[in-house]
Every structure is written in C-alpha cells, then in structure tokens.
C-alpha cells in the first residue's frame, strides 16, 4: 500500500476537493482525478465544474463587486495582508501540496509559497498608492480630472508550473484595485488553488470576491470559454502557451476585454568572452534547471562566444552531472519529475533530434525512470535543431557558438518570442548595447534569476501583453475616467 504524501499535511482542512464559489464549497458530484506526476498515484478526486458553474461564479462576482469596489484601499489591503500572513503560516502544508501535485523539489515549492505570498503583500501596499490626476486646463472655465477605477469582474486562467504564484500574481492586483476574480487553475494542480481559497475564507475575504473553478479536459475548455464570452467579465489574465493565448484572444474579441497575457518564451543566454565563467555557469544552472526547466523564463538556447566555448561547456557539464535528480520529496533533490508523459516525449524528441544533427551530449541525455529526465547538456548545437526554435520546457541545455556581438544579438532575436533573455559580460558598454538590442521584456545581466514581486514581469512580440508584478501590475485592473468640470 502506497502512502500518500498528503497524509503528512498538518492542517488537513487545507485539502479541499470542492470548487469555491460565492464563499461556499460547491456540492458537486462529477469529479476528476489529480495525480502525483512523480508516481502516477491518485492524490484526490476534485470537482469537475462546467459552464453552468462558471456562470454561477460570474453572477456571484458581479453581485459582490460594488461592495468590494466601495471599500477603501486600506480595508482591502488589510484583508490581503491577513491572507499573506496565513499563506506564510501554512507554508509547509502549501509546499507539500505543491510538490505532491506538481512534482517540483520541496525546497523550490517552499520558495514558491514565499514568492506567491509576496504578491499579496506587494499589491496590498500598491493598492493604497493608486492616484488620479488633475490636468492643466485648456479653458479657464473648466477643470480636467482623471480617476483610476476598478475595471470590474476579472478572470484568471493559470498554469500548472507555478500553482500558487501565478494565481496571486494576477489575483492580488485585481483585488487591491477593487475587482473580484474567478480563477480557473490548471487541471494538473487544483489542490494549491483550493487551499488558497480556504485561506482566503479564513482571512475574511467576502463571498464572491475570490472564486476557484477546478475543471478537467472538456470542462476546462468550456469553463475558460464561458469566462471569455461573458460580457460581465471585463478582464482576462492568462499564463500559458502562445497557441492557447491566441484562442483566448479570439474568444474575448466579441466582448472587447482587457487582456493580460504571459505566453511562451524561447530565452537566449549569451556568454561573452569577457564574462566571469564560473558565475555564468552558476547562473545557467539556476535559469535552466529550476522546476526541471519548466518555467517560461527558463533558458532555451545558450549562445557562447568562440573564445570561452569549450571552457563553458566543459564546466557546465561537470556541474550538471552533480545535480541530484529524484522525487521532489527526497532531501537534497534539485531536479525532479516532469509534469506528464507528453512533456517527457517532447524532451526526448528534442534530445534525439539534436543528436541526429551533430549535437554532442556531454551530460545526461536519457530518461532515468518514470518522468525523471536527466539534466542534459548538448554541445555543438545548430540552428536547424528543434531546440533552436521550440520551447523545450525541460532540463536540456543546447549550446550554440558565436563569433561577434552583432551575431549574438541576431541569433538571440531570431524568434517570434520575447519574454526573457540573459547575458554575461563584464564590459559595461557591451552590457548596455546588448541589453538594449535584445527583443525581450526582461533581461538578466550577470544573473540567472530575475523574478520578484517588485519588478515588471512580461514579454514582447508573441510572448504576451501587459506586465505583472511591480507598480505597473495593477494598471491592467484599472480604467481611466476623464472628468471635465465646466462652469467654473
Ligand atoms: C512562469 O514560468 O511563467 C513564471 C516564472 C517566474 O515567475 O519566475
């Protein structure tokens, strides 16, 4: 008999399997199975909501909106701060749920809980700094003013790779701005979202303000469509693939919604001859192998200048061979299970394609067992390989060679994506030239870790629209209203 990791929850009431709508746990007979990606074992059977439940949630959020909007920013901030404190108090249990349903190493899951809670804290504070404007008038008999007002009911469709942080990064600015939210979490990871709803209830968020609709397969698509098509929902935020982003844009077109989209990436990581190689190798490990390569900002392509190429690939391969691969619950594990079999298949395909086109596998290259793919380094990568164009979303580091700065910039920008880029150099002039020329929303310079609540996260080109986090992250949830006051 296999022991479920969920038996180790300290607060068993955080394991919720019903959807959360209008401050209540919905009685729902239809259920789907949520499994541990590392073992394939069932963790729980969770409510499979449908279009009707989505409409119920939209109506509840619409009804709850006026009272929430009319609270002061400080009143809303107090509730968000309580929610933040509860997340931190229950960090161990939330991390346990995350590792169980998503697979990432427990230490990373703990880091994500803190990262997720930080958005509640940040936007509780930012909500109190929303300011309008007065404008120098064009007419002595008139005064011109601008209000910033909550956009209305918001929907968030969130991914499995960050089961908590991608929810709070969207929900916190919406709530702080005065908007209620309906979340449809990824079908692979609803348990974290539902635990978050339990903590929202404990924090005292009023009914209808934060709703969670778990759903699987066909119902997941139907719920997403209902949120997109509703005229009551005024804003949709989505993190996921560019392909699904395009579908959601089409579904939102008839009701002209505001959209925040954080879509696919194909991040380049450029190492110049003048870089500190040890530091570049450490940055590469963080930015490539975090969450087993399953983040939108993970490096997909390494470009290393001719003069340091062999040194970099040799040293990176040495360090990668030291990474501990295993079950996310095992102490010291740094790289854990991929999310599902299609993910494993994609990684396998990218590795064999690279090998067939002359790539030298210097570390890893194989599926060890289950969904544990060895962290992999491939030297002599070339532009005709699949990994040069498609996001691998797995623990594979293909390393390409380049000669000049101009060539590196051209290679890095040769993609329809533009989320994150990384560069390593100690030449300050070069740092500015290259950072300014890179077509991406974010650039890590001499670091492999860029994510934080204080900074604007988002992409250009086909990597998305809008920014999350930072003081800009609340803007998507606010509308400007111009007041023209005559008769002065
Ligand atoms: C993502 O993969 O979409 C988010 C990664 C991050 O916030 O660091």
């Amino acid at each position: 008999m296999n022991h479920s990791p969920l038996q180790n929850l300290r607060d068993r009431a955080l394991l919720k399997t019903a959807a959360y709508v209008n401050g209540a746990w919905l009685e729902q007979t239809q259920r789907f199975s949520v499994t541990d990606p590392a073992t394939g074992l069932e963790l729980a059977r969770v409510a499979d909501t449908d279009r009707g439940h989505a409409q119920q949630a939209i109506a509840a959020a619409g009804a709850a909106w006026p009272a929430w909007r009319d609270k002061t920013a400080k009143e809303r901030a107090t509730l968000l701060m309580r929610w933040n404190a509860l997340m931190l108090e229950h960090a161990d249990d939330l991390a346990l749920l995350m590792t169980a349903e998503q697979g990432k190493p427990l230490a990373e899951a703990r880091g994500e809980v803190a990262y997720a809670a930080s958005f509640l804290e940040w936007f509780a504070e930012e909500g109190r700094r929303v300011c309008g404007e007065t404008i120098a008038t064009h007419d002595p008999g008139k005064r011109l003013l601008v209000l910033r007002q909550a956009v209305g009911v918001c929907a968030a469709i969130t991914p499995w790779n960050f089961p908590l942080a991608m929810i709070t990064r969207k929900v916190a600015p919406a709530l702080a701005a005065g908007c209620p939210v309906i979340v449809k979490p990824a079908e692979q990871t609803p348990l974290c979202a539902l635990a978050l709803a339990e903590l929202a209830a404990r924090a005292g968020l009023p009914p209808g303000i934060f709703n969670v609709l778990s759903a699987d397969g066909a119902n997941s698509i139907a719920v997403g469509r209902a949120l997109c098509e509703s005229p009551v929902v005024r804003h949709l935020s989505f993190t996921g693939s560019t392909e699904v982003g395009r579908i959601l844009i089409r579904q939102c077109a008839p009701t002209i919604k505001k959209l925040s989209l954080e879509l696919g990436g194909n991040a380049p990581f450029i190492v110049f001859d003048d870089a500190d190689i040890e530091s570049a190798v450490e940055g590469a490990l963080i930015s490539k192998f975090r969450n087993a390569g399953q983040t939108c900002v993970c490096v997909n392509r390494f470009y290393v200048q001719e003069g340091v190429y062999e040194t970099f690939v040799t040293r990176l391969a040495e360090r990668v061979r030291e990474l501990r691969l295993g079950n996310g619950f095992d102490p010291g594990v740094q790289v854990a299970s991929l999310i599902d079999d299609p993910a494993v298949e994609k990684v396998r395909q990218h590795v064999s394609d690279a090998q067939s086109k002359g790539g030298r596998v210097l570390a890893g290259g194989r599926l060890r067992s289950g969904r544990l793919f060895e962290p992999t380094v491939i030297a002599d990568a070339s532009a005709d390989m699949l990994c040069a164009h498609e996001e691998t979303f797995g623990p594979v580091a293909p390393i390409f060679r380049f000669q000049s700065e101009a060539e590196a910039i051209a290679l890095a920008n040769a993609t329809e994506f533009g989320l994150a880029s990384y560069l390593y150099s100690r030449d300050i002039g070069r740092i500015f030239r290259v950072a300014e020329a890179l077509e991406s929303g974010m650039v890590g310079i001499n670091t492999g870790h860029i994510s934080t609540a204080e900074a604007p996260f988002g992409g250009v080109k086909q990597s998305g629209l809008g920014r999350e986090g930072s003081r800009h992250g609340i803007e998507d949830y606010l509308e400007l209203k111009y007041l023209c006051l005559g008769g002065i």
Side-chain angles (χ1 to χ4, degrees), residues 394-412:
V396 180
I399 311 184
F400 305 76
R401 249 175 246 268
F402 73 89
Q403 315 280 338
S404 69
E405 187 179 302
E407 186 191 0
I409 294 168
L411 288 167

Side-chain angles (χ1 to χ4, degrees), residues 229-440:
E229 289 176 353
S230 167
V232 176
V233 176
R234 297 309 317 139
H235 176 276
L236 174 82
S237 179
F238 168 68
T239 293
S241 71
T242 296
E243 196 188 339
V244 174
R246 286 193 194 100
I247 295 171
L248 298 177
I249 292 172
R250 277 198 290 274
Q251 290 180 357
C252 288
T255 53
I256 317 282
K257 285 190 205 333
K258 281 188 116 182
L259 292 170
S260 307
L261 302 172
E262 199 253 279
L263 306 176
N266 182 2
F269 185 107
I270 308 171
V271 183
F272 287 99
D273 279 348
D274 60 57
D276 174 337
I277 297 302
E278 270 312 299
S279 144
V281 167
E282 292 312 307
L285 292 177
I286 294 166
S287 60
K288 177 67 252 186
F289 298 104
R290 182 163 74 111
N291 204 5
Q294 302 172 112
T295 89
C296 300
V297 290
C298 271
V299 180
N300 206 52
R301 304 165 288 151
F302 286 86
Y303 293 105
V304 181
Q305 202 162 9
E306 187 63 37
V308 291
Y309 188 88
E310 284 307 328
T311 315
F312 180 84
V313 293
T314 307
R315 190 67 191 118
L316 182 65
E318 274 167 20
R319 292 287 287 115
V320 166
R321 283 193 289 268
E322 287 164 14
L323 290 176
R324 179 127 189 254
L325 177 69
N327 187 297
F329 282 111
D330 290 345
V333 161
Q334 292 156 296
V335 181
S337 178
L338 291 169
I339 190 73
D340 55 21
D341 294 336
V344 172
E345 210 28 63
K346 185 165 197 191
V347 171
R348 218 205 284 257
Q349 188 197 15
H350 278 203
V351 172
S352 66
D353 170 77
Q355 280 181 295
S356 73
K357 291 171 181 160
R360 268 188 295 145
V361 175
L362 298 183
R366 291 179 311 121
L367 184 67
R368 174 100 37 102
S369 62
R371 292 170 182 151
L372 290 177
F373 203 95
E374 291 174 348
T376 299
V377 176
I378 302 177
D380 300 338
S382 55
D384 57 340
M385 293 176 180
L386 287 175
C387 58
H389 309 284
E390 289 177 17
E391 200 175 11
T392 307
F393 231 60
V396 180
I399 311 184
F400 305 76
R401 249 175 246 268
F402 73 89
Q403 315 280 338
S404 69
E405 187 179 302
E407 186 191 0
I409 294 168
L411 288 167
N413 289 342
T415 167
E416 69 266 31
F417 299 108
L419 191 58
S421 307
Y422 304 85
L423 76 100
Y424 274 75
S425 168
R426 280 175 294 189
D427 175 336
I428 190 69
R430 164 172 278 163
I431 286 173
F432 272 95
R433 282 193 305 276
V434 178
E436 286 168 6
L438 286 171
E439 295 169 353
S440 64

